[in-house]
């Protein structure tokens, strides 16, 4: 493992816990990401890995070496990590080339030239940071972090100062660059699209807890908790009841639940369904009143109110407008839903 985090705990004061027994691993060459709302502890986790903050307990291993344990706390400059900061932290009085080669670069001039080309900065070597766009400045920061050939690259909200379209483009480009360079990395962001575009493994953090460390696909389709389900992407919860006969009853009908949910749970259940798995079905006896609707190419995004008052969102691929306050038949794809016991 290039990065191994074991049972890390950290508190700020008596009542503020920012890391609760956190463990995860990143293999060599993989890209990881930590996502979560502001104040969940993800940036503190990154700073502890870099050596800027000290955990209360646990262990951190980087590139097979103990960076932190109860007996050891390696200083930041010895950890073989590179850092890309939120504000780029470029030297305004140095050129692009001088910024990239500042510090303990291990590359030859030929390798630096290749790195500049790989990061799309060819022709800008003699320019100063104020002469570059935000995207170009971020590329300079990335190239400078890669120049010392770190074993692990840490990225703290690296695209937050860029506009939305440039974020998505640059996140894909950075993934390509890091994969080409063979660099292992960990990204911290509150933007799920960036994490999904860049990372092989993603962790969802809330209130100091790592709720799930998994692939993007599993986070989206197989969330382990209602908190992960509601944080990642969009969706709705539908109340249901799982009975002794293995059937699940909800406002949207009855299904045989044992193949989907298991035989060991009975009683109240919450069904979490994504908007793309909710369908307008004119033959369905289960109705919902259309409360809101807006265009979201190539279709429309609807919000229906069920008889219980619960709201159900639907991504309808048909761009045709529907009548507000009117009831429509609804059905959902249970095979792509997630189920959570509520007792």
């Amino acid at each position: 493992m290039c990065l191994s985090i074991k049972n890390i705990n950290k508190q700020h004061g008596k009542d503020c816990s920012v890391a609760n027994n956190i463990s995860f691993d990143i293999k060599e060459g993989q890209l990881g990401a930590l996502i979560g709302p502001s104040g969940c502890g993800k940036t503190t986790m990154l700073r502890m890995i870099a050596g800027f903050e000290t955990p209360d307990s646990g262990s951190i291993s980087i590139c097979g070496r103990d960076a932190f344990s109860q007996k050891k706390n390696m200083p930041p400059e010895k950890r073989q990590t590179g850092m890309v900061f939120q504000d780029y932290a470029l030297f305004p009085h140095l050129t692009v080339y001088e910024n990239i080669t500042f510090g303990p670069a291990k590359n030859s001039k030929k390798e630096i030239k290749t790195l500049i080309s790989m990061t799309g900065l060819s022709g800008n070597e003699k320019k100063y940071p104020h002469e570059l766009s935000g995207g170009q400045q971020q590329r300079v920061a990335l190239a400078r972090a890669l120049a010392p050939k770190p074993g692990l690259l840490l990225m703290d909200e690296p695209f937050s100062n860029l506009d939305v379209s440039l974020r998505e483009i640059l996140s894909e480009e950075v993934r390509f660059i890091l994969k080409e360079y063979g660099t292992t990395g960990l990204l911290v962001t509150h933007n799920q699209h960036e994490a999904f575009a860049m990372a092989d493994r993603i962790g969802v953090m809330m209130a100091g807890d790592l709720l799930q460390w998994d692939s993007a696909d599993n986070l989206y389709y197989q969330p382990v908790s209602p908190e992960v389900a509601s944080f990642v992407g969009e969706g709705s919860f539908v109340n249901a009841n799982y009975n002794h006969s293995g059937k699940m009853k909800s406002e949207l009908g009855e299904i045989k639940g044992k193949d989907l949910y298991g035989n060991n749970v009975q009683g109240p259940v919450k069904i979490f369904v994504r908007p793309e798995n909710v369908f307008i079905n004119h033959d369905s006896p289960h109705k919902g009143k259309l409360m809101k609707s807006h265009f979201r190419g190539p279709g429309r995004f609807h919000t229906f109110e069920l008889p219980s008052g619960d709201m159900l969102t639907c991504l309808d691929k048909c761009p045709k407008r529907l009548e507000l306050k009117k009831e429509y038949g609804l059905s959902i794809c249970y095979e792509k839903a997630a189920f959570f016991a509520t007792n």
Side-chain angles (χ1 to χ4, degrees):
M1 293 294 174
C2 183
L3 175 65
S4 182
I5 305 296
K6 300 296 183 186
N7 309 118
I8 288 292
N9 291 280
K10 177 69 175 179
Q11 279 195 302
H12 289 157
K14 293 182 178 180
D15 302 319
C16 183
S17 181
V18 292
N20 301 317
N21 205 39
I22 290 179
S23 299
F24 64 90
D25 298 310
I26 301 178
K27 295 179 181 179
E28 186 174 350
Q30 278 191 335
L31 299 178
L34 292 174
I35 60 175
S38 297
C40 70
K42 57 187 184 295
T43 296
T44 300
M45 190 70 241
L46 193 78
R47 290 176 60 82
M48 288 191 288
I49 295 169
F52 301 148
E53 292 196 33
T54 303
D56 296 332
S57 62
S59 65
I60 299 172
S61 175
I62 301 173
C63 300
R65 300 190 305 162
D66 289 337
F68 174 81
S69 65
Q70 293 304 104
K71 298 181 179 180
K72 185 176 184 179
N73 189 12
M74 187 182 291
E77 67 273 15
K78 300 291 185 180
R79 295 195 178 198
Q80 287 188 287
T81 58
M83 192 84 176
V84 179
F85 296 95
Q86 184 174 340
D87 60 357
Y88 315 143
L90 301 179
F91 296 107
H93 62 291
L94 299 182
T95 64
V96 167
Y97 187 88
E98 290 168 339
N99 264 283
I100 293 172
T101 56
F102 184 88
K106 297 180 181 178
N107 306 68
S108 64
K109 288 185 178 180
K110 183 178 180 180
E111 289 174 322
I112 291 292
K113 185 177 180 180
T114 300
L115 180 59
I116 289 173
S117 175
M118 187 183 295
T119 50
L121 292 168
S122 296
N124 296 289
E125 292 90 340
K126 295 183 179 180
K127 290 183 178 180
Y128 290 89
H130 72 273
E131 299 177 294
L132 305 176
S133 67
Q136 289 173 321
Q137 290 182 38
Q138 187 57 274
R139 290 185 180 93
V140 176
L142 176 64
R144 185 181 61 184
L146 291 174
K149 298 182 180 179
L152 176 68
L153 182 67
L154 304 173
M155 296 165 280
D156 184 14
E157 301 272 9
F159 311 117
S160 61
N161 292 329
L162 306 176
D163 60 68
V164 175
S165 59
L166 186 55
R167 283 182 194 177
E168 295 184 4
I169 293 171
L170 202 56
S171 60
E172 293 176 358
E173 288 183 358
V174 169
R175 175 180 169 84
F176 175 78
I177 292 167
L178 296 180
K179 288 293 185 180
E180 283 288 299
Y181 215 67
T183 302
T184 306
L186 178 63
L187 166 75
V188 161
T189 180
H190 63 273
N191 189 305
Q192 299 171 31
H193 298 293
E194 292 174 13
F196 277 35
M198 283 190 63
D200 302 300
R201 309 287 287 181
I202 302 170
V204 178
M205 288 190 67
M206 288 188 184
D209 293 319
L210 182 63
L211 302 183
Q212 187 171 353
W213 177 259
D214 218 325
S215 65
D217 294 46
N218 286 344
L219 288 176
Y220 192 82
Y221 291 114
Q222 299 176 40
V224 299
S225 69
E227 292 78 14
V228 173
S230 57
F231 182 79
V232 176
E234 298 172 301
S236 308
F237 287 100
V238 177
N239 290 309
N241 190 69
Y242 195 70
N243 60 32
H244 295 277
S245 61
K247 292 183 179 180
M248 195 180 299
K249 292 183 179 180
S250 76
E251 292 181 271
L252 296 173
E254 181 180 274
I255 61 168
K256 292 181 179 179
K258 63 180 181 180
D259 292 333
L260 299 172
Y261 196 73
N263 296 311
N264 59 337
V265 176
Q266 295 175 355
V269 171
K270 281 189 178 294
I271 305 171
F272 183 79
V273 59
R274 300 289 181 186
E276 64 270 23
N277 295 320
V278 177
F279 305 97
I280 298 172
N281 181 356
H282 298 292
D283 296 325
S284 173
H286 311 293
K287 307 291 184 181
K289 183 188 294 185
L290 182 61
M291 304 304 292
K292 293 186 292 184
S293 179
H294 64 269
F295 181 76
R296 184 186 288 186
R300 299 191 70 83
F301 195 83
H302 306 302
T303 302
F304 292 95
E305 184 179 17
L306 300 178
S308 65
D310 290 339
M311 296 296 177
L312 186 67
T313 55
C314 166
L315 184 58
D316 186 7
K317 294 182 180 179
C318 176
K320 181 181 177 181
R321 288 180 178 270
L322 300 180
E323 185 179 340
L324 292 176
K325 304 297 183 180
K326 182 178 178 180
E327 290 191 340
Y328 293 87
L330 300 171
S331 61
I332 63 177
C333 179
Y334 287 97
E335 285 77 11
K336 293 183 179 180
F339 303 86
F340 305 102
T342 59
N343 56 357

